[in-house]
Amino acid sequence: MNEPRTSTSGSAPRRIRSFVRRAGRLTSGQQRALNELWPRWGVDDLNMLRDLDTLFGRSATRVLDIGFGDGEALLAMAEASPETDFLGVEVHAPGIGHCLIGAEAASVTNLRLIQEDAVDLLGVHLSPSSLDRTQLFFPDPWPKKRHHKRRIVQPKFLGFVCRVLKPGGTLHIATDWAPYAEHIQSVVADVSELKVTQYSGARPTTKFEERGRRLGHAIHDLVYQRA
């Protein structure tokens, strides 16, 4: 993807995004899942996110998983905690299709999937103080200095997270990239609403974490609580 351009025609500048929207190659199973299973687990009308009790048909603890990849870790959490409702947001269709296949196999009822930019989701579509936890596991670190502006963890993003978290709710970020961990800690330090809290260690392993460990990377779990 080319770098964002500032319009010379007087229109608004194109927003810097933290992801590259890749078409990817869908398997026949993933395409079938998107066609047949999305109506069961997917959310098309984003206005429904303003009332999560109606969306899930109950009142429960609510967790948002940002950028769930292939959905394996998200599904493991949903299966392990049937008393908790999980929202997963991802932009890449193959990963969504894979997650839908897993949701069907596990017959989970406490999961809904959204194909949307997470920043828009947090800033516009979710109601204030509607989530108990927001988790961001192994986001793209954009390691080159000229790309640091693309990192999702920025002041505006954290402001949106604080908007949707309940008082006492938590933000859990995991990364295997030490410079990104330092960046996260630096940015969060300027957000008065977020305070460092203890990490319980209860998190399924993701494929990105496994890859990082194979490369000898230390895993950084950073957890913050909304004051």
Side-chain angles (χ1 to χ4, degrees):
M1 177 180 287
N2 294 328
E3 289 297 310
R5 298 191 303 269
T6 300
S7 172
T8 58
S9 63
S11 60
R14 201 168 80 191
R15 194 176 79 193
I16 296 170
R17 295 190 183 276
S18 62
F19 59 88
V20 175
R21 193 182 288 273
R22 304 179 184 89
R25 176 172 291 183
L26 287 162
T27 66
S28 58
Q30 291 166 352
Q31 186 63 67
R32 192 272 309 177
L34 291 169
N35 293 340
E36 299 178 9
L37 305 180
W38 179 259
R40 170 65 183 84
W41 283 280
V43 178
D44 281 318
D45 183 1
L46 298 183
N47 290 321
M48 296 178 66
L49 299 174
R50 298 185 183 279
D51 185 352
L52 297 180
D53 284 0
T54 298
L55 179 65
F56 285 97
R58 65 175 183 175
S59 179
T61 298
R62 302 275 157 66
V63 177
L64 172 66
D65 191 326
I66 296 173
F68 59 77
D70 65 5
E72 293 288 343
L74 176 58
L75 284 167
M77 288 183 284
E79 287 188 83
S81 302
E83 74 285 355
T84 299
D85 291 334
F86 291 85
L87 288 165
V89 58
E90 177 58 68
V91 294
H92 300 299
I96 295 171
H98 186 89
C99 190
L100 287 168
I101 293 170
E104 180 186 39
S107 299
V108 293
T109 60
N110 59 332
L111 175 66
R112 299 292 184 272
L113 304 181
I114 307 149
Q115 187 173 24
E116 182 59 60
D117 181 348
V119 174
D120 290 339
L121 196 72
L122 293 166
V124 178
H125 301 296
L126 287 166
S127 295
S129 301
S130 58
L131 300 177
D132 296 274
R133 186 168 79 247
T134 299
Q135 51 197 36
L136 177 65
F137 296 154
F138 303 93
D140 191 330
W142 293 101
K144 294 181 180 179
K145 187 173 181 179
R146 69 178 184 272
H147 292 153
H148 286 183
K149 60 192 174 184
R150 289 186 177 274
R151 291 174 170 177
I152 189 171
V153 181
Q154 303 287 355
K156 183 176 181 180
F157 168 80
L158 294 174
F160 287 158
V161 169
C162 290
R163 170 186 172 273
V164 300
L165 280 180
K166 297 176 181 178
T170 56
L171 167 64
H172 182 177
I173 308 173
T175 181
D176 67 324
W177 193 260
Y180 198 8
E182 294 170 1
H183 165 86
I184 293 165
Q185 291 169 320
S186 175
V187 176
V188 175
D190 291 330
V191 182
S192 60
E193 287 185 83
L194 293 175
K195 305 299 181 183
V196 177
T197 190
Q198 189 69 31
Y199 170 55
S200 67
R203 174 176 62 75
T205 302
T206 74
K207 68 175 184 179
F208 296 103
E209 179 175 2
E210 293 172 351
R211 183 180 65 183
R213 290 188 186 279
R214 288 195 301 270
L215 294 171
H217 297 175
I219 306 302
H220 303 268
D221 279 283
L222 308 171
V223 184
Y224 303 93
Q225 186 172 49
R226 183 188 169 197

